[in-house]
């Protein structure tokens, strides 16, 4: 059995993610916060635009954490937490701050989960697009 080492998410990678997400947001005339977490859920980078709503810092971080823990874009999980959904009780079952609003996207390298990016401050579909653009820029 051979094992391959996957390079973890670096601070340089995190800067690429933040810059790409902010560029996408600026192009859409949106002010946002961007959070990048490593595979362990530790903060690697954070940036809040001067004019972004203050709560966007918290939402971007929670979105990144949720995408990381469930290894799925938060946009894909919104329905799952509705009444009757697969994860209906999950938001209240854990002590950690999950947030099931679009804008969190996991980051993979060589098929392995290495972190996540979260964007808050725009409309949920915008935040998802900005986070997705960031991940594509890193790829």
């Amino acid at each position: 059995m051979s094992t391959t080492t996957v390079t973890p998410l670096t601070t340089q990678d995190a800067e690429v993610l933040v810059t790409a997400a902010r560029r996408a947001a600026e192009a859409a005339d949106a002010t946002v916060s961007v959070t990048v977490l490593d595979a362990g859920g530790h903060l690697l980078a954070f940036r809040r635009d001067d004019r972004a709503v203050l709560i966007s810092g918290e939402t971007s971080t929670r979105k990144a954490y949720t995408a990381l823990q469930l290894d799925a874009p938060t946009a894909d999980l919104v329905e799952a937490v509705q009444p009757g959904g697969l994860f209906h009780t999950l938001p209240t079952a854990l002590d950690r701050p999950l947030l099931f609003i679009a804008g969190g996207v996991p980051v993979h390298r060589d098929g392995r989960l290495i972190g996540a990016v979260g964007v808050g401050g725009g409309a949920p579909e915008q935040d998802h697009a900005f986070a997705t653009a960031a991940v594509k820029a890193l790829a």
Side-chain angles (χ1 to χ4, degrees):
M1 179 175 149
S2 69
T3 58
T4 56
T5 304
V6 175
T7 305
L9 199 61
T10 65
T11 53
Q12 185 175 355
D13 293 334
E15 289 301 321
V16 169
L17 290 164
V18 169
T19 299
R22 291 188 67 238
R23 281 194 180 130
E26 286 170 9
D29 201 29
T31 55
V32 298
S33 290
V34 182
T35 301
V36 178
L37 302 177
D38 68 12
H42 304 285
L43 184 65
L44 268 184
F46 173 79
R47 182 72 180 266
R48 184 179 69 83
D49 289 335
D50 293 335
R51 295 176 292 123
V53 293
L54 292 178
I55 198 170
S56 67
E58 181 73 17
T59 61
S60 69
T61 301
R62 288 180 179 222
K63 289 174 184 184
Y65 184 77
T66 304
L68 177 70
Q69 292 303 312
L70 297 172
D71 192 8
T74 53
D76 295 351
L77 301 169
V78 175
E79 292 298 317
V81 295
Q82 301 305 316
L86 184 63
F87 296 142
H88 176 58
T89 60
L90 198 54
T92 55
L94 304 173
D95 292 336
R96 295 303 301 260
L98 300 177
L99 186 60
F100 294 88
I101 298 174
V105 177
V107 179
H108 296 92
R109 179 175 284 144
D110 298 328
R112 301 276 292 281
L113 180 65
I114 60 166
V117 59
V119 179
E125 57 276 3
Q126 286 181 309
D127 291 346
H128 176 73
F130 305 152
T132 300
V135 172
K136 286 182 180 163
L138 185 63

